């Protein structure tokens, strides 16, 4: 593609060394710059792409997108106000606007993005559509499955995925949209058809500066929706409900406690842990293809546990109806959904139990520990990977939630992992984050057994566990590899066990299997 054609997608403020050249690829990492590539200098939290522009040119880049001119470099330079927004627009232009050629669903929330996305995908698959899935666990479409590093890929990579999905005739894509992705324009120039904001609670406060900024980042997915889009909002969440009149999109609401929306949930039965309930459609609404969903009621049976799963299901059901899926297919699709790895996942259930959980923020921790309270066991062992580079506020709130539940759970010690060899730089645990965690544990007299490496922490839990106990391995990126290590350690320690059975949960696992990217900046 000619550079001049690519540049039509962005607003160039100034030009230095102008020249129209042929562009073969676009890159934002200097090491990925090749012959005849356009290098976009983006500023990150820790590094600035402008510092690597000469490396990109040395690797073959023939033009630069910059926010400030680099006088020592002689290739054409095009100055823009925001190179991240430019990267998104250039990626969309380069790949020929692929997101416009499929039904695209974007889901944001503090808690439940992943489960809601998987539930939605299960409904769409049940309708025999070819689907794609992008999120915290993986990118999946057709026979392709790629473990995720970011919840929402960088914009250029994202448009590349859409292009490959289009080539495989994917018709519907469900994706998680993180607050960071919204703030950093990773979903720039993405043509969503349905957007949803399920809930907002305190997380990433240090990253965004304040809760207000965090909320505004999340809310931008709804506020900046087009008039021909649909926005799905949860009336039981005050922040989500606040956006009803702040979007040009067609709004469809749902609620459990608030029954004034288009959909309400009633007669919830959680006696088995897995929710059964009735969905009542109170008011007719249009679907994406112009048909009308009429007033009616229907029953839903979930195969996943927890009250939070009911909320996730209500969002997925609403999205399914808007997409044009019939009620019977929604019922079968959502019942077939068996859960997401690392979301309160039982990975060993014999003489004792091992539970693997994402445990990423105070809301996740609250739900997980509340569920553990309802289980029968002798003693609880928690192996927790501290959330790295998320700031003191987030880590203190996580610790406060754990501390609140410690007396109820009889928890006297937490085995803590820094996972130094199993996270990339952006997830390293900072000294002040560890100190905040220690301070909150000290307040309730909970001992900390600290390990720099995650495998050592896991092995320690196996040395301490006894019959009838539960081991919870919890943590976000720092514990993604936990299941692989602890199950293999268990096989090594217990020759009496059937290795094939013990390792079976790893068979279709995505998170924490591929270690090739570790240490790669």
């Amino acid at each position: 593609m000619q550079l001049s054609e690519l540049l039509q997608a962005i607003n160039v403020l100034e030009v230095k060394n102008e020249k129209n050249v042929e562009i073969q690829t676009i890159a934002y990492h200097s090491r990925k710059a090749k012959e005849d590539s356009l290098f976009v200098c983006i500023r990150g939290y820790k590094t600035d792409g402008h510092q690597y522009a000469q490396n990109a040119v040395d690797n073959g880049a023939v033009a630069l997108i910059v926010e400030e001119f680099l006088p020592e470099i002689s290739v054409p330079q095009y100055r823009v106000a925001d190179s991240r927004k430019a990267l998104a627009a250039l990626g969309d232009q380069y790949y020929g606007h692929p997101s416009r050629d499929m039904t695209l669903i974007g889901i944001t929330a503090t808690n439940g993005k992943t489960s809601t996305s998987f539930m939605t995908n299960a409904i769409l698959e049940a309708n025999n559509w070819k689907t794609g899935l992008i999120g915290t666990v993986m990118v999946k479409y057709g026979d392709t499955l790629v473990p995720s590093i970011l919840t929402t890929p960088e914009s250029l990579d994202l448009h590349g995925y859409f292009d490959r999905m289009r080539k495989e005739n994917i018709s519907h894509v469900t994706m998680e949209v993180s607050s960071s992705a919204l703030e950093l324009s990773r979903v720039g120039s993405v043509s969503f058809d349905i957007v949803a904001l399920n809930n907002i609670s305190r997380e990433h406060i240090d990253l965004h500066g304040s809760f207000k900024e965090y909320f505004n980042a999340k809310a931008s997915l709804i506020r900046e929706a087009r008039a021909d889009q649909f926005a799905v909002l949860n009336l039981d969440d005050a922040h989500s409900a606040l956006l009803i009149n702040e979007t040009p999109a067609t709004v469809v609401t749902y609620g459990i406690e608030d029954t004034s929306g288009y959909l309400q949930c009633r007669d919830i039965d959680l006696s088995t842990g897995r929710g059964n309930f009735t969905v009542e459609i109170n008011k007719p609404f249009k679907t994406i293809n112009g048909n009308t969903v009429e007033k009616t009621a229907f029953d839903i049976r979930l195969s996943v546990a927890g009250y939070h799963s009911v909320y996730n299901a209500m969002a997925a059901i609403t999205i399914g109806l808007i997409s044009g899926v019939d009620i019977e297919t929604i019922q079968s699709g959502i019942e077939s959904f068996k859960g997401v790895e690392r979301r309160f996942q039982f990975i060993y259930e014999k003489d004792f139990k091992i539970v693997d959980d994402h445990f990423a923020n105070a809301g996740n921790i609250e739900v997980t520990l509340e569920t553990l309270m309802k289980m029968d066991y002798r003693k609880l062992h928690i192996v927790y990977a501290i959330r790295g580079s998320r700031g003191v506020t987030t880590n203190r709130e996580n610790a406060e939630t754990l501390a609140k539940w410690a007396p109820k759970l009889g928890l006297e010690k937490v085995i803590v992992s820094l996972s130094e060899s199993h996270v990339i730089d952006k997830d390293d645990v900072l000294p002040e984050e560890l100190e905040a965690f220690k301070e909150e544990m000290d307040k309730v007299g909970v001992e900390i057994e600290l390990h720099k490496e995650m495998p050592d922490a896991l092995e320690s839990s196996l040395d301490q566990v006894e019959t009838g106990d539960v081991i919870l391995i919890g943590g976000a990126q720092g514990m993604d590899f936990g299941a692989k290590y602890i199950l293999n350690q268990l096989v090594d320690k217990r020759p009496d066990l059937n290795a094939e059975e013990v390792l079976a949960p790893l068979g279709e696992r995505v998170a924490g299997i591929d270690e090739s990217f570790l240490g790669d900046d």
Side-chain angles (χ1 to χ4, degrees):
M1 185 177 290
Q2 290 294 311
L3 177 59
S4 57
E5 185 180 351
L6 269 176
L7 295 176
Q8 291 173 13
I10 62 174
N11 180 29
V12 176
L13 302 177
E14 287 184 276
V15 183
K16 182 179 175 65
N17 309 322
E18 184 171 17
K19 180 183 178 184
N20 191 23
V21 291
E22 179 86 14
I23 298 298
Q24 295 295 330
T25 62
I26 303 173
Y28 59 91
H29 280 311
S30 60
R31 286 173 302 171
K32 294 186 178 179
K34 301 175 182 177
E35 186 176 353
D36 295 332
S37 62
L38 172 65
F39 182 67
V40 183
C41 302
I42 60 174
R43 302 185 195 275
Y45 288 119
K46 294 183 178 181
T47 60
D48 183 349
H50 293 78
Q51 298 174 2
Y52 300 94
Q54 185 61 59
N55 293 347
V57 172
D58 292 343
N59 288 336
V62 292
L64 304 176
I65 302 295
V66 299
E67 290 182 6
E68 58 187 51
F69 286 134
L70 302 168
E72 69 280 6
I73 298 179
S74 59
V75 302
Q77 299 178 42
Y78 298 83
R79 189 173 72 82
V80 296
D82 187 328
S83 57
R84 283 190 171 275
K85 288 182 179 178
L87 179 67
L90 290 165
D92 182 47
Q93 179 87 337
Y94 178 78
Y95 288 110
H97 317 293
S99 65
R100 299 178 189 178
D101 293 330
M102 54 195 74
T103 299
L104 191 58
I105 299 153
I107 297 169
T108 195
T110 302
N111 298 310
K113 290 189 298 294
T114 303
S115 294
T116 303
S117 298
F118 273 75
M119 280 186 179
T120 300
N121 185 68
I123 289 171
L124 302 178
E125 281 190 338
N127 204 45
N128 295 318
W129 283 329
K130 293 190 71 174
T131 67
L133 194 58
I134 300 172
T136 305
V137 177
M138 61 186 170
V139 176
K140 179 177 178 291
Y141 57 96
D143 295 326
T144 300
L145 193 154
V146 182
S148 295
I149 298 174
L150 297 171
T151 295
T152 310
E154 188 56 77
S155 59
L156 179 65
D157 306 318
L158 183 60
H159 289 293
Y161 282 129
F162 291 146
D163 180 56
R164 293 193 282 279
M165 289 178 183
R166 179 173 58 183
K167 289 173 180 173
E168 294 205 20
N169 298 314
I170 300 298
S171 64
H172 291 72
V173 179
T174 307
M175 65 175 292
E176 299 177 50
V177 183
S178 69
S179 58
S180 296
L182 289 160
E183 188 168 86
L184 299 177
S185 301
R186 287 190 204 133
V187 290
S189 301
V190 172
S191 181
F192 289 108
D193 296 282
I194 303 170
V195 290
L197 193 155
N198 298 1
N199 56 70
I200 298 182
S201 58
R202 292 175 63 83
E203 196 197 21
H204 300 311
I205 307 306
D206 296 86
L207 181 65
H208 292 279
S210 68
F211 179 78
K212 181 179 179 181
E213 292 304 313
Y214 173 56
F215 168 67
N216 285 334
K218 289 280 192 194
S220 66
L221 183 66
I222 308 299
R223 287 172 173 158
E224 296 174 14
R226 303 185 313 272
D228 62 342
Q229 288 179 225
F230 287 81
V232 176
L233 298 175
N234 174 11
L235 291 177
D236 290 350
D237 182 275
H239 296 98
S240 180
L242 189 67
L243 298 171
I244 290 173
N245 297 315
E246 296 187 14
T247 178
T250 299
V251 174
V252 183
T253 54
Y254 65 90
I256 298 176
E257 296 171 7
D258 189 320
T259 61
S260 65
Y262 285 87
L263 288 83
Q264 75 174 81
C265 175
R266 58 176 173 81
D267 301 334
I268 300 174
D269 177 7
L270 283 166
S271 58
T272 65
R274 292 172 169 85
N276 298 324
F277 56 92
T278 298
V279 175
E280 188 156 342
I281 299 175
N282 296 323
K283 296 178 281 189
F285 58 90
K286 293 289 186 182
T287 68
I288 206 165
N289 53 21
N291 296 329
T292 300
V293 177
E294 302 289 354
K295 293 172 65 173
T296 189
F298 55 94
D299 294 331
I300 292 291
R301 296 172 58 88
L302 296 182
S303 299
V304 290
Y307 187 55
H308 60 290
S309 295
V310 178
Y311 275 108
N312 296 337
M314 285 297 291
I317 290 164
T318 306
I319 292 168
L321 289 168
I322 293 170
S323 300
V325 183
D326 64 76
I327 289 171
E328 187 175 336
T329 302
I330 287 174
Q331 288 171 312
S332 62
I334 210 158
E335 187 172 358
S336 70
F337 171 69
K338 304 300 182 184
V340 182
E341 64 183 61
R342 303 221 59 225
R343 281 6 180 227
F344 208 86
Q345 181 185 15
F346 287 94
I347 59 172
Y348 180 77
E349 295 183 81
K350 292 189 182 297
D351 46 327
F352 60 89
K353 291 182 171 66
I354 304 175
V355 177
D356 187 12
D357 192 80
H358 194 53
F359 224 58
N361 57 55
N364 292 153
I365 294 169
E366 184 86 25
V367 168
T368 297
L369 298 184
E370 185 177 11
T371 304
L372 281 166
M373 276 290 294
K374 298 175 182 177
M375 290 173 55
D376 292 327
Y377 57 85
R378 193 191 71 87
K379 186 176 181 180
L380 175 64
H381 308 266
I382 293 182
V383 188
Y384 176 54
I386 290 179
R387 195 94 194 261
S389 295
R390 295 312 191 274
V392 170
T393 304
T394 293
N395 276 285
R396 190 176 297 282
E397 289 176 350
N398 287 359
E400 286 172 347
T401 307
L402 186 53
K404 182 185 82 172
W405 284 92
K408 303 175 188 177
L409 294 163
L411 193 65
E412 298 175 353
K413 177 171 72 174
V414 178
I415 304 171
V416 172
S417 165
L418 302 182
S419 301
E420 290 185 352
S421 299
H422 289 86
V423 292
I424 56 178
D425 290 347
K426 78 177 188 68
D427 297 314
D428 284 341
V429 178
L430 306 175
E432 57 268 30
E433 293 174 327
L434 175 58
E435 186 58 34
F437 186 85
K438 284 180 175 178
E439 287 173 4
E440 296 306 316
M441 293 299 101
D442 285 345
K443 289 178 184 178
V444 291
V446 173
E447 177 190 349
I448 290 178
E449 180 188 317
L450 182 63
H451 296 266
K452 288 186 176 182
E453 297 295 351
M454 179 250 308
D456 297 335
L458 295 169
E459 187 166 19
S460 179
S461 72
L462 288 177
D463 290 339
Q464 298 175 52
V465 72
E466 297 181 16
T467 299
D469 290 358
V470 170
I471 296 175
L472 170 71
I473 56 174
Q477 290 79 7
M479 197 54 76
D480 273 348
F481 295 86
K484 183 176 88 167
Y485 278 96
I486 199 167
L487 293 182
N488 277 285
Q489 288 171 349
L490 184 58
V491 167
D492 290 342
K493 288 176 178 290
R494 295 275 303 277
D496 59 301
L497 295 173
N498 183 308
E500 187 175 341
E501 288 181 9
V502 173
L503 300 177
L506 304 177
E508 297 182 359
R509 197 173 179 85
V510 177
I513 295 299
D514 180 14
E515 300 186 50
S516 62
F517 66 87
L518 291 171
D520 182 3
D521 61 3

